[in-house]
Amino acid sequence: MAALTEVQAKSAPIISRIENEAVRIGALKLVERCYNRGVEIRITQGLRTIEEQNSLYAQGRTIFTGPIVTNARGGQSYHNFSLAIDFVLIRGGYDMKYDGDCDGIADWVEVVTEAKALGFAWGGDWKSFKDNPHFEMTFGLSLADLRAGKRPTSTQILKAVSKMNALEEKEAQGMSVELEKKFYEFKKATEAQLKAQEEDIKALKKRAAMPEWADDLLSEMKLRKLITTSNDKGYEFSTMAQMLKNSGLLSEAFLKHAADINAKGSKGI
Ligand SMILES: [Zn+2]
């Protein structure tokens, strides 16, 4: 992907000419938000003055250079009042099915989703003539209202901008909630791990400690010189001693027998 600033630069000349603040901010945010989800767009149209619209209307009609590109004369398009923008996918062009970021959602649909979230109406929703690359903010004003000189009020514009900012604040909040959740999950997992390690250590300590029941047994074995090492501590050691005793190998008879064999010379038992 190109850098965001490069993508922004492609739309800057058009966006900077948009007089309506909400539409201008909306266009800037749209480029950035689409970029953040892997879709690069260029704003191809913003403000089109009535003169520009008239000469565009003449194209293919009174001026026979190129095809007819619009059905709107000057004053018949929201572009003429700085209330509309058009876009194109930098990769994918006007292919509405193109999925350049391979997320299973057509890039075009992603752009439409973002634009609507920002408060734009989409030309693709129109019943009679669908204008798929077109978004507008009408502020409840018809083209007739606008031709008559009505304009969105500063309160309306401020409200539209606040709505866009609130959307991003809400998203930022959602993100911090998500982060907090992840942190608690991590903390919980770490605590569980620490507790398991503590249990292991406890078990190990228990195995290393001398059990009380082994005291007499070990004293007896030392007395008989069956234990000659000073390394005679621990649960394992005590268990071995107990096994030895249980097997009968510590009986008087056996020990005597063993002593006799040793006295004759160690020829084996
Ligand atoms: Zn348009």
Side-chain angles (χ1 to χ4, degrees):
M1 271 181 97
L4 173 61
T5 48
E6 282 175 61
V7 175
Q8 284 169 324
K10 288 185 206 279
S11 298
I14 298 277
I15 293 177
S16 63
R17 276 188 72 207
I18 299 172
E19 288 161 3
N20 184 285
E21 203 187 344
V23 177
R24 190 174 64 248
I25 291 173
L28 288 169
K29 285 187 188 291
L30 185 63
V31 171
E32 190 175 342
R33 289 170 68 89
C34 289
Y35 179 88
N36 287 340
R37 54 191 290 172
V39 180
E40 296 174 6
I41 63 165
R42 182 166 64 84
I43 303 300
T44 58
Q45 284 284 335
L47 168 68
R48 209 183 284 141
T49 63
I50 290 181
E51 295 73 40
E52 284 168 337
Q53 185 75 41
N54 279 333
S55 67
L56 201 66
Y57 183 80
Q59 187 185 315
R61 292 189 175 90
T62 52
I63 305 168
F64 297 101
T65 51
I68 290 175
V69 285
T70 180
N71 287 325
R73 293 168 192 264
Q76 289 177 336
S77 163
Y78 281 99
H79 284 286
N80 304 146
F81 303 97
S82 204
L83 299 177
I85 53 170
D86 297 334
F87 81 97
V88 66
L89 298 174
I90 290 176
R91 287 170 295 142
Y94 291 97
D95 182 355
M96 290 176 72
K97 288 185 178 145
Y98 180 77
D99 183 14
D101 59 347
C102 303
D103 60 357
I105 310 165
D107 291 359
W108 203 276
V109 174
E110 294 189 69
V111 178
V112 171
T113 303
E114 289 301 333
K116 285 182 175 179
L118 288 167
F120 284 105
W122 179 42
D125 286 332
W126 295 343
K127 296 228 160 49
S128 51
F129 161 70
K130 290 195 190 303
D131 190 356
N132 291 316
H134 177 97
F135 298 115
E136 62 187 29
M137 288 189 193
T138 66
F139 301 93
L141 297 170
S142 68
L143 286 164
D145 290 335
L146 291 162
R147 281 195 297 271
K150 286 192 187 169
R151 292 293 179 268
T153 64
S154 51
T155 312
Q156 280 179 309
I157 292 168
L158 205 69
K159 217 171 141 184
V161 175
S162 315
K163 211 182 126 192
M164 289 187 256
N165 290 336
L167 170 78
E168 291 182 346
E169 269 165 39
K170 209 175 136 197
E171 285 165 350
Q173 235 165 34
M175 247 190 282
S176 66
V177 167
E178 194 61 34
L179 269 177
E180 208 174 326
K181 220 174 111 190
K182 281 215 175 104
F183 171 73
Y184 276 112
E185 274 165 18
F186 173 74
K187 198 173 159 224
K188 232 170 99 180
T190 311
E191 277 169 357
Q193 209 175 5
L194 278 174
K195 211 179 159 203
Q197 279 174 358
E198 250 169 54
E199 293 295 322
D200 284 350
I201 289 168
K202 243 191 233 172
L204 282 170
K205 273 187 176 165
K206 199 183 158 198
R207 287 176 85 86
M210 286 285 284
E212 272 175 38
W213 56 258
D215 282 357
D216 293 344
L217 177 66
L218 293 178
S219 315
E220 182 193 341
M221 291 179 82
K222 275 184 194 171
L223 206 65
R224 296 186 184 188
K225 298 203 172 4
L226 287 166
I227 295 173
T228 51
T229 173
S230 60
N231 189 17
D232 60 351
K233 301 285 184 293
Y235 193 89
E236 304 288 356
F237 193 88
S238 307
T239 308
M240 289 289 288
Q242 196 185 39
M243 277 166 67
L244 202 60
K245 184 168 186 179
N246 290 346
S247 70
L249 292 173
L250 298 184
S251 66
E252 292 295 338
F254 183 84
L255 288 171
K256 189 170 181 303
H257 178 62
D260 288 349
I261 288 169
N262 274 335
K264 283 179 206 160
S266 42
K267 293 229 173 77
I269 294 172

